[in-house]
Amino acid sequence: MFTGIVETIGTVSALEKQDDTASGGGGTSLTITDCAEILEDAKLGDSININGTCLTITALLPSPSSSENHPPNPPTSFKVGLSPETLRRTNLSSLTPSSSLNLERAVSASTRMGGHFVQGHVDTVAEIVDVREDGNARVFRLRPRKGDGNGVLRYVVEKGYITLDGASLTVTRVEGDGGGEGEGEGWWEVMLIAYTQEKVVMGGKGVGDEVNVEVDMVGKYVEKSVRGYFEGLGAGEVEKEGKGVGGGGGGVLERIVERMVEEKVRRMGVGVGVGTGGK
């Protein structure tokens, strides 16, 4: 689990398509340097957020010692393995030596939750389709990868959280839901203040560049709970729920809450009537 508050920006030193070393695991590996400050307490097997992707440290690499008698230097770079799913779902396969990356360690008990709950599970890749200046801030308009619009845009809400390349940002505008005839045409915008532009890799990106996207997971859980509720109803009950007690759409949420309370009361063994007019 992460917060979306980038700790430092690292640099790609190697992206090996076939790494047959023990730390490479016989697949693709990524080595990142210029990040000694976040490796002081790092251990093999630790999770680390790299451009929004939760990956596992497979090797910690110190800088060369000045002499054989000198104790090993602390690590200044590290290696992670990239699975086929990671390469398909993220923009990491497009990295090259010298590419910059947002880095964040997993949260600890003492971590301040300055951003929001970030899993490091990338939902899709979005393309930057417009960048414009607004005072000393910069506004980015992003469009999800074609075919992913309907799966992502329904979770993107104005003033809600979104994670872009691992950075927790606030959505300032949303247009469309990516579904129907306009699939692929929906978009959203975020605004980066001057300070943030210097602290995350997105500040240096432009039109045509891609970013990893993770939507706020709370929306997914709510959607699943509501879907499960309606799947448990018959067709007639669904129609009734939609009309609501007073004939308006507000009855849906009202009945969901009522049923949750009824179930809680039933488990407690208390005989209390719940609902409109209940005592």
Side-chain angles (χ1 to χ4, degrees):
M1 186 70 71
F2 308 91
T3 69
I5 303 301
V6 176
E7 292 188 271
T8 191
I9 294 179
T11 305
V12 174
S13 61
L15 178 63
E16 299 183 53
K17 302 294 185 182
Q18 185 64 38
D19 186 344
D20 292 321
T21 65
S23 58
T28 303
S29 70
L30 176 66
T31 304
I32 300 169
T33 189
D34 296 335
C35 54
E37 62 268 37
I38 66 167
L39 299 179
E40 295 174 354
D41 59 351
K43 304 182 297 296
L44 294 181
D46 280 356
S47 295
I48 192 162
N49 192 327
I50 302 173
N51 264 17
T53 311
C54 178
L55 297 168
T56 302
I57 296 176
T58 60
L60 291 166
L61 310 170
S63 59
S65 299
S66 57
S67 68
E68 294 183 1
N69 297 325
H70 191 279
N73 290 327
T76 57
S77 59
F78 68 97
K79 182 190 288 189
V80 296
L82 304 179
S83 71
E85 169 68 5
T86 298
L87 294 170
R88 286 190 295 265
R89 188 65 72 101
T90 73
N91 62 11
L92 297 184
S93 62
S94 63
L95 296 172
T96 59
S98 77
S99 292
S100 296
L101 297 162
N102 291 329
L103 301 175
E104 182 192 356
R105 290 169 290 186
V107 298
S108 66
S110 60
T111 301
R112 297 178 69 93
M113 184 54 67
H116 71 284
F117 288 116
V118 175
Q119 294 177 296
H121 300 164
V122 175
D123 292 297
T124 189
V125 170
E127 179 185 357
I128 298 173
V129 295
D130 183 59
V131 182
R132 66 181 187 277
E133 305 297 323
D134 188 352
N136 69 338
R138 189 170 296 160
V139 179
F140 292 80
R141 178 172 295 182
L142 301 107
R143 181 171 296 144
R145 185 162 48 191
K146 191 171 179 61
D148 287 345
N150 192 41
V152 172
L153 277 164
R154 69 177 183 268
Y155 302 115
V156 181
V157 297
E158 187 171 330
K159 304 307 177 186
Y161 294 119
I162 195 164
T163 308
L164 302 179
D165 276 344
S168 173
L169 298 169
T170 302
V171 178
T172 56
R173 288 184 64 191
V174 185
E175 180 68 31
D177 60 6
E181 296 180 358
E183 182 173 358
E185 295 305 313
W187 48 263
W188 70 87
E189 291 182 347
V190 297
M191 180 180 289
L192 270 61
I193 62 172
Y195 178 86
T196 305
Q197 292 171 33
E198 301 296 324
K199 300 299 180 179
V200 301
V201 296
M202 189 172 169
K205 290 189 174 183
V207 173
D209 290 332
E210 293 184 330
V211 299
N212 291 325
V213 179
E214 179 186 331
V215 297
D216 189 4
M217 62 182 178
V218 174
K220 294 181 179 180
Y221 288 128
V222 171
E223 180 187 58
K224 184 175 181 179
S225 296
V226 173
R227 183 189 297 121
Y229 170 79
F230 282 107
E231 286 176 351
L233 300 177
E237 289 178 288
V238 170
E239 183 179 356
K240 180 180 178 181
E241 297 294 323
K243 293 179 179 178
V245 177
V252 176
L253 288 178
E254 181 181 342
R255 284 301 299 156
I256 290 176
V257 173
E258 287 177 359
R259 290 205 174 190
M260 290 172 64
V261 174
E262 288 173 353
E263 177 63 17
K264 181 67 173 178
V265 170
R266 184 188 65 78
R267 291 180 180 179
M268 293 173 62
V270 180
V272 178
V274 180
T276 304
K279 302 292 184 181

